[in-house]
């Protein structure tokens, strides 16, 4: 419901934030692609449902878009070991659900360069 009032919403969907057995995964840290695909795919579905609901006022529907969603991606070793493959998996999952932007965070401010594409 907040989406119409913000430019972007960045769900902090770090795999380390999910408990053991979430969605049937024994350790969500070991399935970063699947987890991000599931949770951000659900967010995309919710945005589309809001936009297309017959009860959503037109002025609200015209202000919401999946382009407002930005995945906040984990790039730190908490609950698991995060390196190139794990960071790339989260980025790929974001793109695969139809999102075109994301943010990366590490508390050390040291990022996995091998997971990023140089421009």
């Amino acid at each position: 419901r907040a989406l119409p009032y913000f430019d972007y919403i960045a769900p902090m969907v770090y795999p380390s934030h999910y408990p053991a057995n979430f969605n049937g995964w024994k350790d969500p840290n070991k399935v970063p692609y699947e987890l991000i695909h599931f949770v951000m795919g659900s967010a995309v579905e919710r945005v589309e449902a809001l936009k297309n609901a017959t009860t959503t006022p037109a002025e609200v529907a015209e202000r919401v878009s999946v382009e407002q969603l930005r995945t906040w991606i984990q790039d730190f070793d908490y609950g698991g070991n995060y390196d190139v493959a794990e960071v790339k998996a989260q980025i790929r999952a974001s793109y695969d659900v139809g999102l075109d932007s994301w943010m990366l965070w590490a508390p050390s401010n040291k990022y996995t360069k091998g997971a990023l594409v140089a421009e």
Side-chain angles (χ1 to χ4, degrees):
R1 294 183 186 188
L3 193 62
Y5 307 103
F6 293 93
D7 294 329
Y8 298 95
I9 291 185
M12 190 179 290
V13 292
Y14 306 153
S16 64
H17 282 21
Y18 293 86
N21 299 311
F22 173 77
N23 203 40
W25 297 307
K26 185 176 180 180
D27 182 355
N29 274 295
K30 293 187 177 183
V31 289
Y33 176 89
E34 293 83 350
L35 184 131
I36 298 300
H37 194 277
F38 174 75
V39 296
M40 293 310 292
S42 296
V44 167
E45 289 173 6
R46 294 176 90 177
V47 170
E48 292 298 336
L50 174 63
K51 187 172 186 68
N52 298 316
T54 57
T55 56
T56 301
E59 65 273 8
V60 171
E62 68 187 26
R63 289 196 318 257
V64 298
S65 167
V66 297
E67 294 170 354
Q68 291 172 269
L69 295 175
R70 286 189 174 161
T71 313
W72 211 329
I73 293 172
Q74 178 171 341
D75 189 8
F76 55 91
D77 294 340
Y78 179 74
N81 295 316
Y82 281 77
D83 203 352
V84 173
E86 292 76 19
V87 175
K88 279 187 170 183
Q90 294 173 87
I91 293 169
R92 190 175 71 252
S94 296
Y95 290 139
D96 287 353
V97 297
L99 302 178
D100 62 6
S101 65
W102 45 268
M103 299 185 307
L104 189 62
W105 188 69
S108 66
N109 206 27
K110 295 178 183 174
Y111 295 92
T112 306
K113 289 183 182 180
L116 307 174
V117 176
E119 292 187 347

